[in-house]
Amino acid sequence: MEKRANMLTRVSDVIETITVWINVAIIAVLAVNLVAAVVFRYFLNSPIYWADELSLILFAWITFLGGSIGLKRSMMASVTLLEDRLKGTPLFILRLVSQISIVLFGAVVGVYSWKWLTSEGVLNQMATTLPVPLWVTFAALPVSMVLIVLFGIDNLLKLLQTGGTPPLKEETAP
């Protein structure tokens, strides 16, 4: 099992690196788009009519891909009231249930979002101002759910290998 977990971790790490670079590229395009939109609207008095829609599409992808990266790095915002009070086996069980819940959530939302994305109504819709089908925007959800399942399984296997210690979340000094 350890060999499979190590292989999954390596695949997960490569996919994380690719996802980070995709997100960096999307952020760069978004920044250029927003600056161009402001310059054209306020300085040249000739607004780019499609810039807002492009910004929304890019922002959707940044959000969902960023969320999956946060999960991989165990850097998601969380309320740790219960976790801070537990130690040993109860803490391990809480983390185990949490990781299993994340994987199941990603799988369920992924399946249903894929069904929705591939429905005839969604596949035939076009963006309002861009010559882009709307499924391109909506695909951010199932893609991120696949990543969340992959990263969640990787985190779950790491948790099982270490027996719950060290903690999944990287502790930072104040």
Side-chain angles (χ1 to χ4, degrees):
M1 181 170 133
E2 189 173 325
K3 191 173 188 177
R4 287 184 187 153
N6 290 338
M7 179 65 150
L8 179 64
T9 296
R10 280 183 273 173
V11 169
S12 176
D13 290 346
V14 168
I15 291 173
E16 176 200 11
T17 302
I18 292 168
T19 305
V20 166
W21 282 107
I22 289 170
N23 237 16
V24 166
I26 294 171
I27 290 168
V29 172
L30 178 62
V32 169
N33 179 59
L34 290 173
V35 168
V38 168
V39 168
F40 273 79
R41 176 167 293 178
Y42 294 108
F43 296 108
L44 302 177
N45 292 324
S46 178
I48 304 172
Y49 65 93
W50 46 263
D52 292 343
E53 190 166 35
L54 179 60
S55 295
L56 290 172
I57 292 170
L58 296 174
F59 189 71
W61 277 93
I62 290 168
T63 301
F64 284 103
L65 291 179
S68 65
I69 293 167
L71 175 72
K72 166 71 172 159
R73 296 179 177 181
S74 297
M75 297 174 67
M76 300 295 286
S78 61
V79 177
T80 60
L81 181 69
L82 185 58
E83 188 174 293
D84 292 342
R85 295 172 192 248
L86 296 175
K87 291 187 181 349
T89 303
L91 178 60
F92 174 75
I93 291 170
L94 177 68
R95 289 181 174 167
L96 189 66
V97 168
S98 175
Q99 290 301 314
I100 291 170
S101 298
I102 289 168
V103 170
L104 290 175
F105 173 82
V108 169
V109 172
V111 166
Y112 282 102
S113 65
W114 179 256
K115 286 181 181 182
W116 170 69
L117 180 70
T118 57
S119 68
E120 196 172 314
V122 172
L123 285 176
N124 294 331
Q125 290 183 21
M126 292 294 288
T128 307
T129 58
L130 290 170
V132 175
L134 274 182
W135 67 262
V136 171
T137 304
F138 300 150
L141 183 58
V143 167
S144 69
M145 290 302 122
V146 167
L147 295 174
I148 283 173
V149 168
L150 173 70
F151 297 155
I153 291 171
D154 183 40
N155 286 345
L156 180 62
L157 291 176
K158 286 177 186 173
L159 180 69
L160 291 171
Q161 280 180 338
T162 63
T165 55
L168 283 175
K169 188 178 289 184
E170 295 176 15
E171 302 294 333
T172 57

